[in-house]
Amino acid sequence: MTTLETRLRFLQEVAIFQEIEHNDFLPELAKSLEEVVFPANHTIFTKGDEGQLLYILVSGKVKVHLDDFTLAYLEPGSYFGEMALFESRTRSASATAIEESKCLILNGQQVYQAIKQSPDIAINIIQLLAQRIRKFNRLFGASEELFYLKLKKSA
């Protein structure tokens, strides 16, 4: 189990909690977070599952994927699972621990309470989601261009 002080220092380095002016709530949040360790090759969640949790990767490595297609490899300090939480929809992808991975888990109520106490968290989440969308647009845009090139060559 991670000490409260270690958790707090770690949370202050996580992108969604950085540059928060009123971070008085972080010590309370750090106390209330559940800590879970997933063994290597463990499926944390599967596409289509109901999503009510946000995960912050403390240690290890996690793969976000659609079946065999890898969308991202996540390193410590990354968070995942927020899309289903904010949309109140099912998971859009699966997440699997590649190696033993420790995560701090926030439920929806904790996330919304944190945003109420410090709206800058929402801005940080929006900025990080925009970066992810831009990355996937480049990835899938390149894939689309390659598809059309192959299609032209075969015609």
Side-chain angles (χ1 to χ4, degrees), residues 4-148:
L4 179 59
E5 186 178 314
T6 303
R7 255 189 208 196
L8 185 56
R9 277 196 315 263
F10 175 76
L11 286 177
Q12 290 168 334
E13 296 300 317
V14 173
I16 58 175
F17 299 119
Q18 287 181 350
E19 300 176 24
I20 304 298
E21 289 181 25
H22 305 289
N23 63 357
D24 299 341
F25 72 93
L26 269 183
E28 279 304 311
L29 183 64
K31 279 186 220 172
S32 67
L33 295 179
E34 182 181 352
E35 188 174 302
V36 177
V37 176
F38 298 103
N41 301 313
H42 178 82
T43 301
I44 299 168
F45 56 77
T46 303
K47 179 183 177 193
D49 287 353
E50 201 163 310
Q52 299 174 350
L53 302 172
L54 181 144
Y55 299 82
I56 300 173
L57 187 59
V58 176
S59 64
K61 193 170 188 177
V62 170
K63 175 173 75 168
V64 178
H65 55 97
L66 293 169
D67 299 319
D68 293 332
F69 183 77
T70 300
L71 297 170
Y73 288 102
L74 305 177
E75 302 285 336
S78 300
Y79 67 92
F80 57 101
E82 75 288 345
M83 286 176 51
L85 183 82
F86 289 121
E87 284 187 303
S88 298
R89 295 183 63 187
T90 59
R91 300 283 185 195
S92 60
S94 300
T96 302
I98 294 177
E99 55 192 48
E100 183 176 274
S101 299
K102 184 191 306 182
C103 291
L104 296 174
I105 299 175
L106 286 86
N107 62 42
Q109 183 179 6
Q110 290 170 312
V111 172
Y112 286 113
Q113 187 61 36
I115 289 170
K116 282 180 186 174
Q117 291 185 15
S118 185
D120 290 341
I121 290 173
I123 293 168
N124 289 345
I125 290 171
I126 290 166
Q127 288 173 338
L128 290 165
L129 283 172
Q131 289 171 9
R132 287 183 188 172
I133 290 168
R134 192 176 302 277
K135 176 184 172 190
F136 289 127
N137 282 346
R138 283 193 304 268
L139 173 69
F140 289 114
S143 297
E144 187 177 321
E145 288 174 21
L146 291 173
F147 170 77
Y148 286 118

